[in-house]
Amino acid sequence: MQYRVIGLMSGSSLDGLDIIYAELEDSGGVWTYQIKAATCATYTNEWTLKLQNAPQLSAYDYLLMHSAYGKLTGEKVNKFIDDNDLQHKVQLIASHGHTVFHAPHLGITAQLGDGAVIAATTGINTVSDLRIMDVALGGQGAPIVPAGEKLLFKDYGYFINLGGIANITASNPMYTAFDVCPANRVLNMLALKEGKLYDDEGAMAGSGTVNPALLTRLNNLDYYKQPFPKSLANSFGTDVVFPIIDSFNLATADALRTYTEHIVQQVVDAVAKLQTPATSHKLMLTGGGAFNTFLAQRLNQALKIFNIEMSIPANDLIKYKEALIMALLGVLRWREENTVINSVTGASRSSIGGAVWIGQEA
């Protein structure tokens, strides 16, 4: 069975809305994919500020923004369809939304982007709210990507995604995954102090020096001592980590170098905790951080102690792996099959997550 799906992902790094059109095929339980078209629809400065400030909105204004962001998302999908001549080809849209609140210990997670508005704007059936059911079952609601990694990339033992938040998956018998630490969101905030949106290829970090006192302070944060399953809200990077770095008044290059080392050390620690003799030694690195040459090189060097073979895939998979997996999770939801693995999230059971909105007339 073949499915033609658009997957949508807005990450915490706020670089834009990732949109992919993929053909996914299930042949006797073996899934394959082809990414036929993909883009990152960048946000205007106005929308970047809106998304950054969304946690401070009143309930009424948040709901207005939930609808407005759904409308924006639907319009960007319509333009993507027009730009790529996909009219009447897309069967389903799967939207992750933009995470604003994530407090699974309190039983909530919230992603902006009303799925009903996306369906109404595009006229295409839409799956949204992929995390909520898992949280309702006592899980972290994150990471949800491992359910797709398990089906699409069976040869790999580890997956590291360096997005706004770095996360790891290990394909040990139970499949285990968790959020490791803030990544690009903090690195980009530091680069912005020099008037840059990001540290191109990690050049500034590569010219800096590690500050041992700051590195020790970061590594001693309570989150890193917590057992998994665990997950991070964006606010951990912006409201906890960044102010600590800022308080040291370092040159930007030194702050970037130190934080890069923090990411590397936390990833290495995560791999050490997840290693099993049966786990494949192949590791796939994706996310915007894979384009950070200095960070990727440091990570590759550090992982050699585990005899791990780190590979960086083609650019479309680096950029759009999470959007691709959102597309697959949307299909699984449509088929009423599990979209979340409870060994990853800590929920009482695996579950079929996502709300379905019918965009087409009966």
Side-chain angles (χ1 to χ4, degrees):
M1 179 71 73
Q2 187 180 78
Y3 302 89
R4 300 184 299 278
V5 193
I6 282 179
L8 306 174
M9 183 73 199
S10 177
S12 56
S13 56
L14 292 172
D15 51 354
L17 178 67
D18 289 340
I19 309 175
I20 66 108
Y21 170 66
E23 292 181 356
L24 294 155
E25 186 168 353
D26 171 26
S27 178
V30 176
W31 285 88
T32 55
Y33 72 93
Q34 292 185 60
I35 297 175
K36 294 292 189 178
T39 192
C40 179
T42 55
Y43 296 126
T44 62
N45 290 337
E46 179 185 6
W47 265 107
T48 298
L49 288 172
K50 284 181 177 180
L51 294 172
Q52 285 176 339
N53 296 326
Q56 282 73 54
L57 295 175
S58 68
Y60 180 77
D61 287 334
Y62 177 85
L63 289 173
L64 288 176
M65 190 169 174
H66 185 49
S67 178
Y69 185 70
K71 181 74 170 175
L72 176 75
T73 299
E75 290 170 347
K76 288 187 178 294
V77 168
N78 285 339
K79 183 177 186 303
F80 178 79
I81 288 172
D82 288 341
D83 289 346
N84 292 282
D85 297 321
L86 298 176
Q87 293 84 355
H88 311 297
K89 294 181 181 178
V90 182
Q91 299 169 311
L92 187 70
I93 295 169
S95 175
H96 176 273
H98 187 85
T99 300
V100 176
F101 301 109
H102 185 69
H105 62 290
L106 298 175
I108 66 158
T109 185
Q111 286 74 43
L112 280 171
D114 191 329
V117 175
I118 297 172
T121 303
T122 61
I124 299 170
N125 299 340
T126 299
V127 174
S128 64
D129 301 307
L130 288 158
R131 298 183 184 273
I132 295 174
M133 185 65 190
D134 183 78
V135 171
L137 289 167
Q140 290 288 309
I144 58 174
V145 168
E149 291 169 333
K150 183 177 182 179
L151 294 175
L152 294 181
F153 307 109
K154 293 180 181 292
D155 292 340
Y156 287 88
Y158 302 93
F159 303 89
I160 300 290
N161 188 75
L162 297 176
I165 293 171
N167 47 61
I168 185 171
T169 302
S171 63
N172 48 39
M174 293 294 292
Y175 262 79
T176 308
F178 57 90
D179 287 342
V180 176
C181 63
N184 294 342
R185 185 70 179 272
V186 171
L187 292 173
N188 292 350
M189 290 174 73
L190 291 169
L192 198 59
K193 296 176 83 171
E194 300 298 322
K196 299 181 179 181
L197 294 178
Y198 58 94
D199 182 12
D200 190 18
E201 297 188 352
M204 281 194 290
S207 70
T209 302
V210 172
N211 182 286
L214 173 57
L215 183 60
T216 299
R217 175 85 178 276
L218 293 171
N219 286 338
N220 284 334
L221 287 169
D222 287 342
Y223 177 78
Y224 304 125
K225 302 170 187 174
Q226 296 173 17
F228 49 87
K230 58 182 179 177
S231 60
L232 283 170
N234 295 332
S235 58
F236 183 72
T238 58
D239 301 348
V240 177
V241 171
F242 183 78
I244 291 172
I245 300 171
D246 215 27
S247 71
F248 276 71
N249 294 314
L250 302 178
T252 302
D254 294 343
L256 283 163
R257 177 68 182 88
T258 304
Y259 198 71
T260 297
E261 197 62 25
H262 172 67
I263 295 169
V264 170
Q265 290 189 8
Q266 290 305 319
V267 169
V268 168
D269 185 60
V271 170
K273 291 173 180 175
L274 295 175
Q275 267 202 312
T276 68
T279 306
S280 164
H281 281 225
K282 293 179 65 177
L283 182 149
M284 181 190 290
L285 182 69
T286 57
F291 293 110
N292 183 326
T293 305
F294 180 71
L295 173 55
Q297 288 174 346
R298 279 291 304 119
L299 192 56
N300 191 37
Q301 291 168 356
L303 290 170
K304 288 186 184 301
I305 62 172
F306 303 113
N307 294 318
I308 283 176
E309 177 190 346
M310 190 181 89
S311 65
I312 299 176
N315 283 0
D316 61 350
L317 201 54
I318 293 174
K319 294 179 182 177
Y320 303 115
K321 173 175 162 251
E322 291 199 333
L324 169 67
I325 289 180
M326 292 309 123
L328 176 58
L329 296 185
V331 170
L332 296 177
R333 172 61 185 91
W334 189 260
R335 287 162 53 121
E336 299 187 354
E337 298 177 8
N338 285 341
T339 60
V340 184
I341 304 171
N342 69 325
S343 66
V344 169
T345 66
S348 59
R349 62 175 174 82
S350 295
S351 60
I352 304 167
V356 177
W357 307 95
I358 305 302
Q360 301 162 340
E361 287 191 44

